[in-house]
Amino acid sequence: MFKNGWLGDLEKQLFGRERNFENPVEMRFGITSERFTARLKQRIPDAQWSGIITATAMKAIERKLVEGVVTLHRDPEHYFFSVPVLARNIEDVYASRGNKPVLSPVLRSLQTAYRQGLTRILVIGAACHLHMLRDFRERFPYLRNMQIYTIGIPCVDNIDRNRWYWVLERISSSPATARHMEFMPDFRIHIRHCDGSTEKIPYFSLPQELSDPAVFPQACMCCFDYLNSLSDITIGYLAAELTPRQDRQWVLVRTEKGRELLDLIKNELERFPEWGEWKCDGFIRQTAGGIIKQMGDIGRTFSADPLIPQWIGHLLSTAMGFIGPKGIGFAHYSADYHMIRHYYYVRYLLPDHQEKLVPAHVPVILREYGLPL
Ligand SMILES: Cc1cc2nc3c(=O)[nH]c(=O)nc-3n(C[C@H](O)[C@H](O)[C@H](O)COP(=O)(O)OP(=O)(O)OC[C@H]3O[C@@H](n4cnc5c(N)ncnc54)[C@H](O)[C@@H]3O)c2cc1C
């Protein structure tokens, strides 16, 4: 990404145009032909949400749309770590379900696919993977001759595996039994443990040292494509309603190939329209000053204590659940929050890379809030 930058020409190559800078929704979510929320009627056990990604990939193999899926399995020794895999059958695709919240070498299996002579593959990855994939495709003829479908996950705050246990120990009271972790739209991190219990930690009560930008990989702090805009279809949860079953997801169809992938599972989905109010600028304005200050303070020592105790944090998270942005507004808020954070990170720490890394729609959004460029 430091060499190629985000979006720009790659977006133009894929869609024939860049995102429309006069369309506030497209500027945040990227180019889409359809967006909706949905749940898989038959939830896949141990998938990250309801398992729409895994179900789609399994169908793509079953219907022979592709011959292999470039994705990840769990590392047998470290539950949250990944190993790259080229899944050639339904069992191997099924085994790829669930998040591995660490930087992962997904694209390594492209070479395996090439060696095995595959001509139709599906790649599941974060935005950095799909940017690299689109770029490799321009540069290496062996990939140009492959029919490649892509499913993108929204991705932010990924962790370097050297840091993973340090981070988990600071979030969970029982890191050894943690089996599932998600940053939820109720302003809490939910950690499910192997005994089935769920630990909930309010964002506001995390140890302050976790707000140190140095905790996250530099590549993630320079990311400007949270919603994976170069995928054929993005499948996340950000704008979906958080129901007690916690299985609603957010689907953004971007290309014709994305529609083909969606068609594979359309009968297995229960669909709902997007919900929530778009407007969230009041919340962004309230937090922007703090983010900018934090990025300017890089290098200072952060306390190991939380800013506020958990019981007050829970009250705040509950209050935010009532008055804070929801659905499409929460996605808008989260996209802008991270974009602002990353813009000032690059500006203060990597000014020489600013021109290459920051896509052209970012200053347009910053100007909307009157933030300094
Ligand atoms: C670090 C991280 C941060 C995320 N942040 C957000 C967010 O802020 N908002 C949001 O809407 N969604 C986010 N997601 C995506 C979300 O958690 C779910 O993966 C997505 O909603 C799909 O759910 P599912 O049940 O369909 O997935 P599943 O059917 O369980 O499939 C998940 C797929 O993602 C692949 N995968 C897992 N970890 C990685 C990884 N590290 N790199 C590449 N591929 C991986 C798996 O191998 C599997 O193929 C994030 C994911 C990760 C890994």
Side-chain angles (χ1 to χ4, degrees):
M1 299 319 305
F2 286 88
K3 284 190 183 151
N4 294 338
W6 295 95
L7 304 166
D9 286 344
L10 287 172
E11 187 169 64
K12 221 184 279 175
Q13 273 155 21
L14 186 63
F15 298 99
R17 66 174 178 95
E18 279 188 72
R19 62 189 62 199
N20 179 353
F21 296 173
E22 284 173 11
N23 179 336
V25 179
E26 196 169 281
M27 270 200 294
R28 271 76 176 194
F29 301 164
I31 298 171
T32 55
S33 58
E34 191 185 9
R35 300 193 317 265
F36 59 92
T37 69
R39 71 177 190 92
L40 206 56
K41 290 178 197 161
Q42 205 72 44
R43 185 182 194 146
I44 296 184
D46 299 328
Q48 189 65 18
W49 285 78
S50 72
I52 297 182
I53 292 185
T54 304
T56 310
M58 283 163 67
K59 269 280 172 344
I61 288 281
E62 188 188 303
R63 300 261 179 89
K64 302 196 182 337
L65 180 71
V66 298
E67 301 155 293
V69 181
V70 169
T71 183
L72 302 168
H73 275 173
R74 290 197 183 280
D75 181 322
E77 306 207 340
H78 299 271
Y79 187 81
F80 285 104
F81 289 7
S82 57
V83 285
V85 69
L86 176 69
R88 301 276 324 252
N89 54 51
I90 289 181
E91 292 72 28
D92 277 349
V93 176
Y94 186 74
S96 71
R97 68 202 186 282
N99 277 2
K100 297 92 188 167
V102 290
L103 291 185
S104 297
V106 173
L107 298 185
R108 212 172 272 174
S109 306
L110 285 178
Q111 201 178 21
T112 320
Y114 172 64
R115 290 215 173 112
Q116 292 183 10
L118 270 52
T119 54
R120 285 172 289 117
I121 59 168
L122 168 65
V123 179
I124 302 172
C128 47
H129 300 125
L130 297 194
H131 270 69
M132 287 302 110
L133 175 69
R134 303 283 181 207
D135 175 58
F136 287 174
R137 201 142 194 255
E138 290 304 307
R139 291 193 288 131
F140 301 112
Y142 78 90
L143 283 181
R144 224 173 289 147
N145 301 331
M146 272 188 197
Q147 179 78 291
I148 303 181
Y149 291 80
T150 57
I151 299 179
I153 50 169
C155 184
V156 76
D157 295 345
N158 210 342
I159 311 265
D160 189 299
R161 47 192 84 197
N162 295 328
R163 274 277 188 172
W164 168 253
Y165 288 109
W166 184 90
V167 170
L168 186 61
E169 279 159 18
R170 274 151 189 80
I171 298 179
S172 175
S173 58
S174 173
T177 59
R179 288 295 174 272
H180 182 279
M181 178 167 111
E182 193 63 270
F183 286 72
M184 298 298 255
D186 65 356
F187 297 88
R188 294 174 177 92
I189 299 178
H190 292 200
I191 299 184
R192 225 169 26 242
H193 292 275
C194 35
D195 65 358
S197 64
T198 303
E199 188 183 1
K200 296 183 183 179
I201 308 102
Y203 294 164
F204 311 101
S205 304
L206 290 169
Q208 291 172 64
E209 57 193 334
L210 289 179
S211 343
D212 183 352
V215 166
F216 300 105
Q218 193 162 64
C220 295
M221 292 300 290
C222 297
C223 172
F224 289 96
D225 191 22
Y226 186 2
L227 292 175
N228 216 324
S229 325
L230 301 188
S231 60
D232 292 310
I233 185 167
T234 299
I235 302 176
Y237 63 87
L238 211 47
E241 187 171 3
L242 184 59
T243 60
R245 293 161 66 136
Q246 297 187 357
D247 57 2
R248 294 233 180 139
Q249 297 190 242
W250 189 32
V251 181
L252 299 91
V253 185
R254 301 190 183 280
T255 67
E256 270 317 301
K257 280 187 178 159
R259 183 149 305 281
E260 267 183 79
L261 289 167
L262 177 64
D263 282 348
L264 294 171
I265 52 150
K266 64 173 188 242
N267 296 331
E268 295 171 32
L269 291 181
E270 187 180 355
R271 291 170 62 135
F272 313 88
E274 277 181 343
W275 76 297
E277 209 183 290
W278 171 251
K279 202 168 145 49
C280 66
D281 53 322
F283 291 97
I284 286 289
R285 280 177 215 285
Q286 265 172 27
T287 34
I291 308 171
I292 297 173
K293 186 168 175 320
Q294 210 176 43
M295 295 304 113
D297 266 359
I298 284 171
R300 84 170 161 96
T301 314
F302 285 78
S303 157
D305 296 325
L307 203 54
I308 48 174
Q310 284 220 7
W311 71 271
I312 304 183
H314 277 298
L315 287 177
L316 264 178
S317 295
T318 305
M320 282 300 282
F322 284 113
I323 59 165
K326 289 177 215 29
I328 201 83
F330 183 77
H332 179 187
Y333 170 81
S334 196
D336 285 5
Y337 174 96
H338 290 98
M339 190 209 66
I340 293 169
R341 189 181 75 172
H342 298 178
Y343 175 79
Y344 289 100
Y345 180 89
V346 171
R347 183 171 146 168
Y348 292 142
L349 252 85
L350 300 161
D352 295 346
H353 292 272
Q354 187 170 335
E355 200 180 325
K356 185 51 100 188
L357 282 172
V358 180
H361 68 277
V362 171
V364 182
I365 296 177
L366 294 173
R367 262 185 235 114
E368 262 181 35
Y369 295 115
L371 295 174
L373 290 171

